């Protein structure tokens, strides 16, 4: 018995390297790109543990749950961590970064999430990058949710470690991920005695045994199916055009925001300003007296596949997330999500204007708000 997913010829080093090159082109980077054989948490943690240690003073920007996780990793590495936390309904500003540098000139590492899908905000990385570059700190960026939905340009922005995953806006697999690494990031790793070596977390292993060897021999057997899926995913983006893919996500975000406002019933965007809203997911605050997780449960009862979810943790009471990334960055997915939420609100006796919401979706999709 045969199956298209089974009994495939081994994925060789040449094919693996070619996929890395295509990912590098997607990022418009001349830096080394390493595709790691695991979900994006692998390079996210590996990059921090490779470059941070007891001598590091890190500015850790918190605009959502991942920023909190990065602070925990940095502290575990022995770094001195200065948290810059902003309300989850907004974004951090370049001026806030500049003020942190003025108060703590010893900062030599900055960790930031580009788009927080969990909270629905996105941060102005280009502006922040200028400030970080002027200060001279190493710049670490989580672009897992943003890649494919908005520009991600590590070279132009001065990002030293840029981690991406394919499972959101790229519409690809979750089982592999990638990180672009600058020369000074490699130098920081080489000088760090605590950087993982001979470890699945190790970026230095990929540098010394893969890149420095001319990408001729892989460290271990690659995740073949995931690598082929990543290749197909990038190929699809290349065929459509990255600009078109990003425009589709911008349209989905604008349409969801407009539709939610028109729906009424007390539902309103969680992120106050549209300029701070991520193009991968729109978060919504529920009206008083409504529990977000219960409302989502009612909405999903009719169709469990709808791309909506309650916020995590304490946010499960007040926040709904409408995901519109990858295959769900379409007018149909946006309409379906808002229709289900409108019906669930109506079941609770809340007055909504579903027809108005759907008109707003169509109008916004044709002329989305641009950042």
């Amino acid at each position: 018995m045969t199956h298209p997913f089974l009994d495939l010829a081994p994925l060789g080093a040449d094919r693996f390297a070619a996929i890395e090159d295509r990912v590098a082109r997607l990022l418009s980077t001349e830096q080394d790109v390493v595709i790691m054989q695991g979900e994006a948490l692998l390079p996210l943690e590996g990059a921090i543990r490779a470059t941070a240690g007891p001598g590091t003073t890190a500015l850790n920007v918190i605009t959502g749950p991942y920023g909190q996780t990065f602070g925990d990793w940095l502290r575990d590495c022995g770094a001195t961590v200065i948290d810059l936390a902003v309300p989850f309904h907004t974004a951090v500003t370049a001026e806030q970064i500049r003020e942190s540098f003025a108060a703590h000139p010893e900062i030599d590492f900055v960790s930031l999430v580009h788009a927080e899908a969990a909270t629905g905000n996105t941060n102005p990385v280009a502006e922040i990058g200028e400030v970080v570059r002027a200060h001279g700190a190493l710049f670490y960026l989580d672009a897992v949710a943003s890649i494919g939905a908005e520009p991600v340009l590590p070279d132009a922005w001065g990002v030293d470690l840029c981690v991406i995953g394919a499972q959101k806006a790229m519409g690809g697999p979750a089982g592999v991920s990638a990180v672009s690494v600058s020369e000074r990031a490699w130098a920081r790793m080489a000088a760090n005695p605590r950087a993982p070596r001979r470890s699945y977390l190790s970026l230095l292993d990929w540098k010394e045994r893969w890149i420095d060897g001319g990408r001729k021999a892989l460290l271990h057997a690659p995740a073949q199916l995931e690598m082929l899926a990543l290749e197909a995913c990038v190929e699809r983006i290349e065929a459509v055009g990255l600009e078109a893919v990003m425009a589709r996500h911008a349209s989905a975000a604008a349409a969801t925001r407009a539709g939610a406002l028109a729906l009424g019933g007390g539902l309103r965007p969680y992120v106050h300003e549209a300029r701070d809203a991520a193009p991968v997911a729109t978060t919504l605050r529920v009206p008083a007296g409504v529990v977000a997780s219960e409302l989502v449960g009612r909405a999903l009862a009719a169709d469990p596949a709808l791309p909506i979810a309650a916020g995590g943790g304490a946010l499960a009471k007040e926040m709904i997330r409408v995901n519109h990334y990858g295959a769900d960055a379409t007018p149909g997915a946006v309409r379906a999500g808002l229709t289900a939420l409108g019906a669930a609100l109506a079941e609770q006796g809340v007055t909504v204007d579903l027809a108005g919401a759907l008109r707003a979706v169509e109008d916004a999709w044709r002329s989305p708000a641009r950042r």
Side-chain angles (χ1 to χ4, degrees):
M1 179 177 179
T2 62
H3 191 284
F5 292 162
L6 302 175
D7 304 321
L8 299 173
L11 186 74
D14 289 348
R15 184 84 170 270
F16 193 103
I19 298 171
E20 282 185 336
D21 291 341
R22 294 177 89 160
V23 172
R25 288 194 292 272
L26 187 70
L27 291 168
S28 298
T29 185
E30 297 298 321
Q31 298 178 4
D32 291 324
V33 169
V34 176
I35 298 179
M36 298 192 77
Q37 304 297 282
E39 198 269 340
L41 282 173
L42 176 62
L44 285 169
E45 182 175 358
I48 282 180
R49 295 195 180 279
T51 52
T56 302
T57 300
L59 176 64
N60 180 52
V61 181
I62 301 175
T63 59
Y66 278 99
Q68 295 169 330
T69 297
F70 300 160
D72 292 340
W73 287 340
L74 286 161
R75 290 183 178 88
D76 190 55
C77 289
T80 299
V81 181
I82 298 157
D83 286 326
L84 171 56
V86 303
F88 290 175
H89 64 255
T90 187
V92 72
T93 67
E95 184 56 34
Q96 288 173 304
I97 302 294
R98 187 179 288 109
E99 290 170 357
S100 296
F101 288 153
H104 302 278
E106 69 276 18
I107 291 170
D108 62 358
F109 185 100
V110 175
S111 52
L112 176 70
V113 178
H114 188 182
E116 282 269 14
T119 48
N121 54 30
T122 191
N123 293 301
V125 182
E127 299 168 19
I128 291 169
E130 291 183 13
V131 176
V132 175
R133 186 163 46 226
H135 185 75
L138 201 76
F139 193 8
Y140 163 100
L141 183 69
D142 171 356
V144 174
S146 54
I147 182 67
E150 54 188 310
V152 177
L153 302 167
D155 291 12
W157 297 344
V159 177
D160 295 289
L161 295 156
C162 182
V163 177
I164 66 169
Q167 69 268 33
K168 287 190 167 64
M170 288 176 65
V176 289
S177 48
V179 54
S180 64
V181 186
S182 73
E183 286 299 326
R184 67 180 194 146
W186 284 130
R188 176 82 72 102
M189 293 180 207
N192 181 9
R194 294 194 176 195
R197 291 169 169 82
R198 294 299 185 266
S199 162
Y200 206 60
L201 280 172
S202 177
L203 281 166
L204 280 175
D205 286 359
W206 284 97
K207 173 73 164 67
E208 295 167 0
R209 298 168 58 193
W210 170 245
I211 295 172
D212 291 350
R215 300 193 298 178
K216 301 297 184 185
L218 288 161
L219 275 65
H220 46 72
Q224 171 136 317
L225 292 178
E226 288 83 357
M227 287 297 294
L228 294 175
L230 176 62
E231 182 182 49
C233 160
V234 176
E235 190 173 69
R236 182 168 61 184
I237 293 172
E238 291 170 347
V240 175
L242 180 58
E243 291 296 327
V245 175
M246 291 191 294
R248 181 163 54 85
H249 284 83
S251 295
T256 304
R257 191 177 185 89
L261 287 168
L263 184 65
L267 205 64
R268 63 190 189 278
Y270 190 88
V271 177
H272 292 183
E273 301 294 334
R275 68 173 180 272
D276 297 334
V280 290
T282 297
T283 46
L284 303 172
R285 189 181 294 276
V286 297
V290 174
V291 177
S293 58
E294 294 176 359
L295 186 70
V296 168
R298 289 190 181 91
L300 293 177
D303 184 0
L306 288 173
I308 57 176
L315 294 175
K317 293 183 177 180
E318 64 185 47
M319 179 195 286
I320 293 170
R321 188 174 75 246
V322 181
N323 296 318
H324 39 69
Y325 54 73
D328 289 319
T330 64
V334 172
R335 286 193 300 265
L338 290 175
T339 298
L341 290 174
L345 283 168
E347 286 179 14
Q348 293 189 267
V350 178
T351 300
V352 296
D353 181 5
L354 181 57
L358 296 180
R359 284 195 300 271
V361 167
E362 297 306 317
D363 291 344
W365 194 280
R366 286 195 292 268
S367 55
R370 303 294 182 185
R371 286 185 185 81

